Amino acid sequence: QSVLTQPPSASGTPGQRVTISCSGSSSNIGSKTVNWYQQLPGTAPKLLMYRNNQRPSGVPDRFSGSKSGTSASLAISGLQSEDEADYYCAAWDDNLNVVFGGGTKLTVL
Amino acid sequence: EVQLVQSGAEVKKPGDSLKISCKGSGYSFTSYWIGWVRQMPGKGLEWMGIIYPGDSDTRYSPPFQGQVTISADKSISTAYLQWSSLKASDSAIYYCARRGYDSGFYYLDFWGRGTQVTVSS
């Protein structure tokens, strides 16, 4: 069981907006910032969002993040086929450990 | 350009020892923590532990404490993950990743391509 809870799957059609949720507790999301990672099929994870809603250089502004209380979410607008991937939320704990969500497999229909 | 280059795929037998590597370049290797992440076949990401190459301060995630050893050789900008006695359940892809930071906020900003470890008799 992952410390952070994500839906196992999500889907949308090209052009749609989809959101992926991430639920935690006061000891992780409630007191830490959330990062999101995208893992395209057969590749290493890549940083997609940090500090809840900051995009690293090169990440399209179609991706946005938010956090409220002990939950966070990732939104993808204008869905594209190349967005089909696994998405993981994550947060650091006080012992320099990362707690990951179980991952959400996004399918573009 | 920041890069983390991991060693190649390994096929081992149960009980074998193994040490895989992650070589950093394009940045000050001693100034950033390097973490290790396991991904078992068809599964999600699991945090194993982290090392600060500057002084070899190492922290382990509780499930992996005592199961693996994380080390680093700063003279060659390389971090390691090792096992003394592999089990079939250690079969997975292992990623190293740099802990980047910005104004006190931390994230895994650069990742290696992963090392596939297969343990089978």
Side-chain angles (χ1 to χ4, degrees), chain B residues 50-109:
Chain B
I50 195 168
I51 188 166
Y52 189 72
D55 62 6
S56 292
D57 185 3
T58 306
R59 316 290 175 86
Y60 293 93
S61 175
F64 293 94
Q65 178 83 47
Q67 306 305 306
V68 297
T69 301
I70 295 171
S71 60
D73 184 340
K74 62 184 179 183
S75 70
I76 55 171
S77 301
T78 301
Y80 301 97
L81 177 66
Q82 67 180 93
W83 296 259
S84 59
S85 181
L86 286 162
K87 303 184 284 290
S89 57
D90 292 319
S91 295
I93 298 175
Y94 294 88
Y95 295 101
C96 63
R98 189 183 83 161
R99 186 193 194 216
Y101 54 85
D102 172 24
S103 303
F105 299 95
Y106 301 94
Y107 37 81
L108 300 171
D109 58 354

Short mmCIF file of all heavy atoms in Angstrom, two decimals, chain B residues 50-109:
data_model
loop_
_atom_site.label_atom_id
_atom_site.label_comp_id
_atom_site.label_asym_id
_atom_site.label_seq_id
_atom_site.Cartn_x
_atom_site.Cartn_y
_atom_site.Cartn_z
N ILE B 50 18.97 7.34 0.25
CA ILE B 50 19.63 8.51 -0.33
C ILE B 50 21.00 8.72 0.31
O ILE B 50 21.21 8.34 1.47
CB ILE B 50 18.71 9.75 -0.14
CG1 ILE B 50 19.14 10.91 -1.01
CG2 ILE B 50 18.62 10.14 1.34
CD1 ILE B 50 18.09 12.04 -1.07
N ILE B 51 21.90 9.28 -0.46
CA ILE B 51 23.25 9.54 0.04
C ILE B 51 23.70 10.93 -0.37
O ILE B 51 23.34 11.41 -1.45
CB ILE B 51 24.25 8.46 -0.46
CG1 ILE B 51 25.61 8.63 0.22
CG2 ILE B 51 24.39 8.49 -1.99
CD1 ILE B 51 26.53 7.42 0.04
N TYR B 52 24.45 11.57 0.51
CA TYR B 52 25.07 12.85 0.18
C TYR B 52 26.54 12.58 -0.09
O TYR B 52 27.32 12.31 0.84
CB TYR B 52 24.92 13.83 1.35
CG TYR B 52 25.35 15.23 1.00
CD1 TYR B 52 24.58 16.01 0.16
CD2 TYR B 52 26.53 15.76 1.53
CE1 TYR B 52 24.97 17.30 -0.16
CE2 TYR B 52 26.92 17.05 1.22
CZ TYR B 52 26.14 17.82 0.38
OH TYR B 52 26.52 19.09 0.06
N PRO B 53 26.95 12.60 -1.35
CA PRO B 53 28.33 12.24 -1.68
C PRO B 53 29.39 13.11 -1.02
O PRO B 53 30.53 12.67 -0.85
CB PRO B 53 28.37 12.39 -3.21
CG PRO B 53 26.96 12.19 -3.65
CD PRO B 53 26.14 12.84 -2.57
N GLY B 54 29.02 14.31 -0.62
CA GLY B 54 30.00 15.21 0.00
C GLY B 54 30.60 14.64 1.28
O GLY B 54 31.79 14.80 1.55
N ASP B 55 29.73 13.95 2.08
CA ASP B 55 30.23 13.38 3.33
C ASP B 55 29.74 11.96 3.57
O ASP B 55 29.93 11.41 4.66
CB ASP B 55 29.83 14.26 4.52
CG ASP B 55 28.31 14.38 4.68
OD1 ASP B 55 27.58 13.69 3.95
OD2 ASP B 55 27.88 15.17 5.54
N SER B 56 29.10 11.38 2.56
CA SER B 56 28.57 10.01 2.61
C SER B 56 27.47 9.80 3.65
O SER B 56 27.20 8.67 4.03
CB SER B 56 29.69 8.98 2.82
OG SER B 56 30.52 8.92 1.68
N ASP B 57 26.84 10.87 4.10
CA ASP B 57 25.67 10.75 4.96
C ASP B 57 24.63 9.97 4.19
O ASP B 57 24.30 10.32 3.04
CB ASP B 57 25.15 12.13 5.33
CG ASP B 57 23.99 12.09 6.32
OD1 ASP B 57 23.62 10.99 6.79
OD2 ASP B 57 23.46 13.17 6.62
N THR B 58 24.11 8.89 4.77
CA THR B 58 23.20 7.99 4.07
C THR B 58 21.97 7.73 4.92
O THR B 58 22.06 7.53 6.13
CB THR B 58 23.90 6.64 3.78
OG1 THR B 58 25.13 6.89 3.09
CG2 THR B 58 23.02 5.75 2.90
N ARG B 59 20.82 7.74 4.29
CA ARG B 59 19.55 7.44 4.96
C ARG B 59 18.85 6.34 4.15
O ARG B 59 18.85 6.38 2.93
CB ARG B 59 18.64 8.67 5.01
CG ARG B 59 19.34 9.94 5.41
CD ARG B 59 19.76 9.99 6.84
NE ARG B 59 20.54 11.20 7.13
CZ ARG B 59 20.02 12.37 7.46
NH1 ARG B 59 18.69 12.50 7.56
NH2 ARG B 59 20.80 13.41 7.68
N TYR B 60 18.24 5.42 4.86
CA TYR B 60 17.53 4.33 4.21
C TYR B 60 16.05 4.39 4.52
O TYR B 60 15.64 4.70 5.65
CB TYR B 60 18.07 2.98 4.69
CG TYR B 60 19.50 2.69 4.26
CD1 TYR B 60 20.57 3.01 5.08
CD2 TYR B 60 19.75 2.10 3.02
CE1 TYR B 60 21.88 2.75 4.69
CE2 TYR B 60 21.06 1.83 2.63
CZ TYR B 60 22.11 2.16 3.46
OH TYR B 60 23.40 1.91 3.08
N SER B 61 15.23 4.05 3.54
CA SER B 61 13.82 3.84 3.78
C SER B 61 13.68 2.57 4.63
O SER B 61 14.39 1.59 4.37
CB SER B 61 13.10 3.67 2.44
OG SER B 61 11.76 3.35 2.63
N PRO B 62 12.82 2.56 5.62
CA PRO B 62 12.74 1.40 6.53
C PRO B 62 12.64 0.03 5.85
O PRO B 62 13.32 -0.90 6.29
CB PRO B 62 11.51 1.72 7.38
CG PRO B 62 11.49 3.22 7.45
CD PRO B 62 11.95 3.66 6.08
N PRO B 63 11.85 -0.13 4.79
CA PRO B 63 11.77 -1.48 4.18
C PRO B 63 13.10 -1.96 3.59
O PRO B 63 13.29 -3.16 3.39
CB PRO B 63 10.73 -1.32 3.09
CG PRO B 63 9.95 -0.11 3.46
CD PRO B 63 10.92 0.80 4.14
N PHE B 64 14.00 -1.03 3.30
CA PHE B 64 15.25 -1.40 2.64
C PHE B 64 16.46 -1.37 3.58
O PHE B 64 17.54 -1.82 3.20
CB PHE B 64 15.51 -0.48 1.44
CG PHE B 64 14.50 -0.68 0.35
CD1 PHE B 64 13.36 0.13 0.28
CD2 PHE B 64 14.66 -1.68 -0.60
CE1 PHE B 64 12.41 -0.07 -0.71
CE2 PHE B 64 13.71 -1.89 -1.59
CZ PHE B 64 12.59 -1.07 -1.65
N GLN B 65 16.26 -0.87 4.78
CA GLN B 65 17.35 -0.87 5.78
C GLN B 65 17.82 -2.29 6.02
O GLN B 65 17.01 -3.19 6.29
CB GLN B 65 16.84 -0.25 7.08
CG GLN B 65 17.85 -0.22 8.20
CD GLN B 65 18.78 0.98 8.11
OE1 GLN B 65 18.31 2.09 7.91
NE2 GLN B 65 20.07 0.75 8.25
N GLY B 66 19.12 -2.51 5.90
CA GLY B 66 19.66 -3.85 6.12
C GLY B 66 19.58 -4.76 4.92
O GLY B 66 20.17 -5.84 4.92
N GLN B 67 18.84 -4.35 3.89
CA GLN B 67 18.69 -5.19 2.70
C GLN B 67 19.67 -4.79 1.60
O GLN B 67 20.04 -5.61 0.76
CB GLN B 67 17.26 -5.08 2.16
CG GLN B 67 16.18 -5.37 3.19
CD GLN B 67 16.35 -6.72 3.84
OE1 GLN B 67 16.46 -7.75 3.17
NE2 GLN B 67 16.41 -6.75 5.18
N VAL B 68 20.03 -3.53 1.57
CA VAL B 68 20.94 -2.99 0.56
C VAL B 68 21.93 -2.03 1.24
O VAL B 68 21.69 -1.60 2.38
CB VAL B 68 20.20 -2.24 -0.56
CG1 VAL B 68 19.28 -3.18 -1.33
CG2 VAL B 68 19.42 -1.05 0.00
N THR B 69 22.96 -1.71 0.51
CA THR B 69 23.93 -0.72 0.98
C THR B 69 24.11 0.34 -0.10
O THR B 69 24.34 0.02 -1.28
CB THR B 69 25.29 -1.37 1.28
OG1 THR B 69 25.13 -2.37 2.27
CG2 THR B 69 26.29 -0.32 1.78
N ILE B 70 23.97 1.58 0.31
CA ILE B 70 24.17 2.71 -0.59
C ILE B 70 25.51 3.36 -0.24
O ILE B 70 25.80 3.57 0.95
CB ILE B 70 23.02 3.73 -0.45
CG1 ILE B 70 21.71 3.10 -0.94
CG2 ILE B 70 23.33 5.00 -1.23
CD1 ILE B 70 20.47 3.94 -0.64
N SER B 71 26.29 3.64 -1.24
CA SER B 71 27.59 4.26 -1.00
C SER B 71 27.92 5.21 -2.15
O SER B 71 27.17 5.29 -3.13
CB SER B 71 28.69 3.19 -0.88
OG SER B 71 28.78 2.43 -2.07
N ALA B 72 29.02 5.93 -2.00
CA ALA B 72 29.44 6.84 -3.07
C ALA B 72 30.94 7.00 -3.03
O ALA B 72 31.57 6.92 -1.97
CB ALA B 72 28.75 8.19 -2.92
N ASP B 73 31.52 7.24 -4.19
CA ASP B 73 32.93 7.56 -4.32
C ASP B 73 33.00 8.92 -5.00
O ASP B 73 32.82 9.02 -6.22
CB ASP B 73 33.65 6.50 -5.14
CG ASP B 73 35.15 6.73 -5.23
OD1 ASP B 73 35.60 7.87 -4.99
OD2 ASP B 73 35.87 5.79 -5.56
N LYS B 74 33.21 9.96 -4.20
CA LYS B 74 33.16 11.30 -4.77
C LYS B 74 34.33 11.58 -5.71
O LYS B 74 34.23 12.45 -6.56
CB LYS B 74 33.09 12.35 -3.66
CG LYS B 74 34.27 12.39 -2.71
CD LYS B 74 34.00 13.40 -1.61
CE LYS B 74 35.14 13.47 -0.61
NZ LYS B 74 34.84 14.42 0.51
N SER B 75 35.41 10.81 -5.56
CA SER B 75 36.56 11.05 -6.44
C SER B 75 36.24 10.72 -7.89
O SER B 75 36.89 11.23 -8.81
CB SER B 75 37.77 10.23 -5.97
OG SER B 75 37.57 8.85 -6.18
N ILE B 76 35.25 9.87 -8.10
CA ILE B 76 34.85 9.52 -9.47
C ILE B 76 33.37 9.83 -9.71
O ILE B 76 32.76 9.32 -10.64
CB ILE B 76 35.16 8.05 -9.80
CG1 ILE B 76 34.52 7.10 -8.78
CG2 ILE B 76 36.67 7.82 -9.90
CD1 ILE B 76 34.63 5.63 -9.19
N SER B 77 32.79 10.65 -8.83
CA SER B 77 31.41 11.14 -9.01
C SER B 77 30.41 10.00 -9.24
O SER B 77 29.56 10.07 -10.13
CB SER B 77 31.34 12.13 -10.19
OG SER B 77 32.17 13.23 -9.96
N THR B 78 30.52 8.96 -8.44
CA THR B 78 29.70 7.78 -8.66
C THR B 78 29.05 7.31 -7.35
O THR B 78 29.71 7.24 -6.32
CB THR B 78 30.54 6.64 -9.25
OG1 THR B 78 31.10 7.07 -10.50
CG2 THR B 78 29.70 5.39 -9.50
N ALA B 79 27.76 7.04 -7.45
CA ALA B 79 27.03 6.46 -6.34
C ALA B 79 26.76 4.98 -6.65
O ALA B 79 26.71 4.59 -7.82
CB ALA B 79 25.72 7.20 -6.11
N TYR B 80 26.58 4.21 -5.60
CA TYR B 80 26.41 2.77 -5.76
C TYR B 80 25.23 2.27 -4.93
O TYR B 80 24.88 2.82 -3.89
CB TYR B 80 27.66 2.02 -5.30
CG TYR B 80 28.92 2.39 -6.03
CD1 TYR B 80 29.80 3.33 -5.50
CD2 TYR B 80 29.23 1.81 -7.25
CE1 TYR B 80 30.97 3.68 -6.16
CE2 TYR B 80 30.40 2.15 -7.93
CZ TYR B 80 31.26 3.08 -7.38
OH TYR B 80 32.41 3.42 -8.05
N LEU B 81 24.70 1.16 -5.41
CA LEU B 81 23.67 0.41 -4.69
C LEU B 81 24.13 -1.04 -4.74
O LEU B 81 24.39 -1.56 -5.82
CB LEU B 81 22.32 0.58 -5.37
CG LEU B 81 21.14 -0.19 -4.79
CD1 LEU B 81 20.81 0.32 -3.39
CD2 LEU B 81 19.91 -0.04 -5.70
N GLN B 82 24.23 -1.67 -3.57
CA GLN B 82 24.74 -3.03 -3.58
C GLN B 82 23.94 -3.98 -2.70
O GLN B 82 23.29 -3.57 -1.73
CB GLN B 82 26.21 -3.07 -3.20
CG GLN B 82 26.54 -2.69 -1.79
CD GLN B 82 28.05 -2.77 -1.55
OE1 GLN B 82 28.79 -1.80 -1.68
NE2 GLN B 82 28.52 -3.95 -1.19
N TRP B 83 24.02 -5.23 -3.08
CA TRP B 83 23.39 -6.33 -2.37
C TRP B 83 24.46 -7.36 -2.04
O TRP B 83 25.32 -7.67 -2.87
CB TRP B 83 22.33 -7.03 -3.22
CG TRP B 83 21.14 -6.23 -3.61
CD1 TRP B 83 19.90 -6.26 -3.04
CD2 TRP B 83 21.05 -5.29 -4.70
NE1 TRP B 83 19.04 -5.41 -3.70
CE2 TRP B 83 19.73 -4.81 -4.72
CE3 TRP B 83 21.95 -4.82 -5.65
CZ2 TRP B 83 19.28 -3.87 -5.66
CZ3 TRP B 83 21.52 -3.89 -6.58
CH2 TRP B 83 20.21 -3.42 -6.58
N SER B 84 24.37 -7.97 -0.89
CA SER B 84 25.32 -9.02 -0.52
C SER B 84 24.80 -10.40 -0.90
O SER B 84 25.58 -11.32 -1.14
CB SER B 84 25.64 -8.97 0.97
OG SER B 84 24.44 -9.13 1.72
N SER B 85 23.49 -10.55 -0.96
CA SER B 85 22.90 -11.83 -1.28
C SER B 85 21.55 -11.60 -1.94
O SER B 85 20.56 -11.33 -1.26
CB SER B 85 22.74 -12.70 -0.02
OG SER B 85 22.18 -13.95 -0.35
N LEU B 86 21.53 -11.67 -3.24
CA LEU B 86 20.32 -11.35 -3.99
C LEU B 86 19.24 -12.42 -3.83
O LEU B 86 19.53 -13.61 -3.65
CB LEU B 86 20.65 -11.20 -5.47
CG LEU B 86 21.39 -9.92 -5.87
CD1 LEU B 86 22.05 -10.09 -7.23
CD2 LEU B 86 20.45 -8.73 -5.87
N LYS B 87 18.00 -11.96 -3.93
CA LYS B 87 16.84 -12.84 -3.93
C LYS B 87 16.09 -12.61 -5.24
O LYS B 87 16.21 -11.55 -5.86
CB LYS B 87 15.93 -12.54 -2.74
CG LYS B 87 16.60 -12.64 -1.39
CD LYS B 87 15.60 -12.43 -0.27
CE LYS B 87 15.23 -10.99 -0.08
NZ LYS B 87 16.35 -10.21 0.49
N ALA B 88 15.27 -13.57 -5.60
CA ALA B 88 14.48 -13.41 -6.82
C ALA B 88 13.61 -12.17 -6.75
O ALA B 88 13.37 -11.50 -7.76
CB ALA B 88 13.62 -14.65 -7.05
N SER B 89 13.16 -11.83 -5.56
CA SER B 89 12.29 -10.67 -5.38
C SER B 89 13.03 -9.33 -5.56
O SER B 89 12.41 -8.28 -5.54
CB SER B 89 11.64 -10.69 -4.00
OG SER B 89 12.62 -10.75 -2.99
N ASP B 90 14.35 -9.39 -5.72
CA ASP B 90 15.11 -8.16 -6.01
C ASP B 90 15.09 -7.83 -7.50
O ASP B 90 15.62 -6.78 -7.90
CB ASP B 90 16.57 -8.32 -5.55
CG ASP B 90 16.70 -8.39 -4.04
OD1 ASP B 90 16.00 -7.62 -3.35
OD2 ASP B 90 17.49 -9.22 -3.55
N SER B 91 14.48 -8.67 -8.30
CA SER B 91 14.38 -8.41 -9.74
C SER B 91 13.53 -7.16 -9.96
O SER B 91 12.36 -7.11 -9.54
CB SER B 91 13.75 -9.60 -10.46
OG SER B 91 14.57 -10.73 -10.37
N ALA B 92 14.11 -6.17 -10.58
CA ALA B 92 13.43 -4.88 -10.74
C ALA B 92 14.32 -3.97 -11.58
O ALA B 92 15.46 -4.31 -11.92
CB ALA B 92 13.20 -4.23 -9.36
N ILE B 93 13.78 -2.81 -11.90
CA ILE B 93 14.59 -1.72 -12.45
C ILE B 93 14.92 -0.79 -11.29
O ILE B 93 14.05 -0.43 -10.49
CB ILE B 93 13.84 -0.95 -13.55
CG1 ILE B 93 13.50 -1.88 -14.71
CG2 ILE B 93 14.69 0.22 -14.04
CD1 ILE B 93 12.65 -1.23 -15.79
N TYR B 94 16.18 -0.40 -11.22
CA TYR B 94 16.64 0.51 -10.17
C TYR B 94 17.08 1.82 -10.81
O TYR B 94 17.92 1.84 -11.71
CB TYR B 94 17.77 -0.13 -9.38
CG TYR B 94 17.29 -1.33 -8.60
CD1 TYR B 94 17.28 -2.59 -9.19
CD2 TYR B 94 16.80 -1.20 -7.31
CE1 TYR B 94 16.80 -3.70 -8.50
CE2 TYR B 94 16.32 -2.30 -6.61
CZ TYR B 94 16.32 -3.54 -7.21
OH TYR B 94 15.83 -4.63 -6.52
N TYR B 95 16.50 2.91 -10.32
CA TYR B 95 16.83 4.24 -10.82
C TYR B 95 17.59 5.02 -9.76
O TYR B 95 17.26 4.95 -8.57
CB TYR B 95 15.56 5.02 -11.14
CG TYR B 95 14.72 4.48 -12.27
CD1 TYR B 95 13.57 3.75 -12.01
CD2 TYR B 95 15.06 4.70 -13.60
CE1 TYR B 95 12.78 3.25 -13.03
CE2 TYR B 95 14.28 4.20 -14.64
CZ TYR B 95 13.15 3.48 -14.33
OH TYR B 95 12.36 2.99 -15.36
N CYS B 96 18.57 5.78 -10.21
CA CYS B 96 19.14 6.80 -9.33
C CYS B 96 18.58 8.14 -9.78
O CYS B 96 18.19 8.32 -10.95
CB CYS B 96 20.66 6.80 -9.37
SG CYS B 96 21.42 7.19 -10.97
N ALA B 97 18.51 9.07 -8.84
CA ALA B 97 17.96 10.38 -9.15
C ALA B 97 18.61 11.43 -8.25
O ALA B 97 18.91 11.16 -7.09
CB ALA B 97 16.44 10.39 -8.94
N ARG B 98 18.82 12.60 -8.80
CA ARG B 98 19.42 13.70 -8.04
C ARG B 98 18.34 14.47 -7.28
O ARG B 98 17.26 14.74 -7.83
CB ARG B 98 20.16 14.65 -8.98
CG ARG B 98 21.00 15.70 -8.27
CD ARG B 98 21.64 16.65 -9.24
NE ARG B 98 20.72 17.73 -9.62
CZ ARG B 98 21.10 18.88 -10.15
NH1 ARG B 98 22.40 19.10 -10.37
NH2 ARG B 98 20.21 19.78 -10.50
N ARG B 99 18.63 14.81 -6.05
CA ARG B 99 17.71 15.64 -5.28
C ARG B 99 18.06 17.10 -5.54
O ARG B 99 18.99 17.66 -4.97
CB ARG B 99 17.83 15.34 -3.79
CG ARG B 99 16.80 16.06 -2.93
CD ARG B 99 17.19 15.97 -1.48
NE ARG B 99 16.10 16.36 -0.59
CZ ARG B 99 16.28 17.02 0.55
NH1 ARG B 99 17.47 17.37 0.94
NH2 ARG B 99 15.25 17.30 1.31
N GLY B 100 17.29 17.71 -6.40
CA GLY B 100 17.48 19.12 -6.70
C GLY B 100 16.77 19.97 -5.67
O GLY B 100 15.97 19.48 -4.87
N TYR B 101 17.06 21.26 -5.69
CA TYR B 101 16.40 22.15 -4.74
C TYR B 101 16.29 23.56 -5.31
O TYR B 101 17.04 23.97 -6.20
CB TYR B 101 17.17 22.18 -3.41
CG TYR B 101 18.64 22.52 -3.54
CD1 TYR B 101 19.08 23.84 -3.59
CD2 TYR B 101 19.58 21.50 -3.59
CE1 TYR B 101 20.43 24.14 -3.71
CE2 TYR B 101 20.94 21.80 -3.70
CZ TYR B 101 21.35 23.11 -3.75
OH TYR B 101 22.70 23.40 -3.88
N ASP B 102 15.31 24.26 -4.75
CA ASP B 102 15.07 25.64 -5.17
C ASP B 102 14.42 26.35 -3.99
O ASP B 102 13.29 26.03 -3.63
CB ASP B 102 14.15 25.65 -6.40
CG ASP B 102 13.70 27.06 -6.77
OD1 ASP B 102 14.40 28.02 -6.42
OD2 ASP B 102 12.65 27.19 -7.42
N SER B 103 15.13 27.25 -3.42
CA SER B 103 14.58 28.05 -2.32
C SER B 103 14.02 27.19 -1.19
O SER B 103 12.97 27.51 -0.64
CB SER B 103 13.48 28.99 -2.84
OG SER B 103 13.98 29.81 -3.86
N GLY B 104 14.71 26.12 -0.87
CA GLY B 104 14.28 25.28 0.24
C GLY B 104 13.26 24.22 -0.11
O GLY B 104 12.76 23.53 0.78
N PHE B 105 12.93 24.10 -1.38
CA PHE B 105 12.01 23.07 -1.84
C PHE B 105 12.78 22.04 -2.65
O PHE B 105 13.67 22.39 -3.42
CB PHE B 105 10.88 23.69 -2.66
CG PHE B 105 10.06 24.65 -1.87
CD1 PHE B 105 10.34 26.01 -1.90
CD2 PHE B 105 9.03 24.20 -1.06
CE1 PHE B 105 9.60 26.90 -1.14
CE2 PHE B 105 8.28 25.09 -0.30
CZ PHE B 105 8.57 26.44 -0.33
N TYR B 106 12.41 20.77 -2.44
CA TYR B 106 13.23 19.68 -2.97
C TYR B 106 12.43 18.79 -3.92
O TYR B 106 11.22 18.64 -3.76
CB TYR B 106 13.80 18.86 -1.81
CG TYR B 106 14.63 19.69 -0.88
CD1 TYR B 106 14.08 20.27 0.26
CD2 TYR B 106 15.97 19.93 -1.16
CE1 TYR B 106 14.85 21.05 1.10
CE2 TYR B 106 16.75 20.71 -0.32
CZ TYR B 106 16.17 21.27 0.81
OH TYR B 106 16.94 22.05 1.63
N TYR B 107 13.14 18.20 -4.83
CA TYR B 107 12.50 17.35 -5.83
C TYR B 107 13.58 16.52 -6.50
O TYR B 107 14.78 16.82 -6.39
CB TYR B 107 11.77 18.20 -6.88
CG TYR B 107 12.49 19.47 -7.23
CD1 TYR B 107 13.54 19.48 -8.14
CD2 TYR B 107 12.16 20.68 -6.61
CE1 TYR B 107 14.24 20.64 -8.44
CE2 TYR B 107 12.85 21.85 -6.89
CZ TYR B 107 13.89 21.83 -7.81
OH TYR B 107 14.57 22.98 -8.09
N LEU B 108 13.19 15.46 -7.19
CA LEU B 108 14.12 14.62 -7.95
C LEU B 108 14.14 15.14 -9.37
O LEU B 108 13.26 14.83 -10.17
CB LEU B 108 13.68 13.16 -7.87
CG LEU B 108 13.62 12.58 -6.46
CD1 LEU B 108 12.96 11.21 -6.47
CD2 LEU B 108 15.00 12.51 -5.83
N ASP B 109 15.15 15.95 -9.66
CA ASP B 109 15.10 16.67 -10.93
C ASP B 109 15.79 15.98 -12.10
O ASP B 109 15.46 16.25 -13.25
CB ASP B 109 15.63 18.11 -10.77
CG ASP B 109 17.06 18.17 -10.24
OD1 ASP B 109 17.63 17.11 -9.88
OD2 ASP B 109 17.60 19.30 -10.18
#
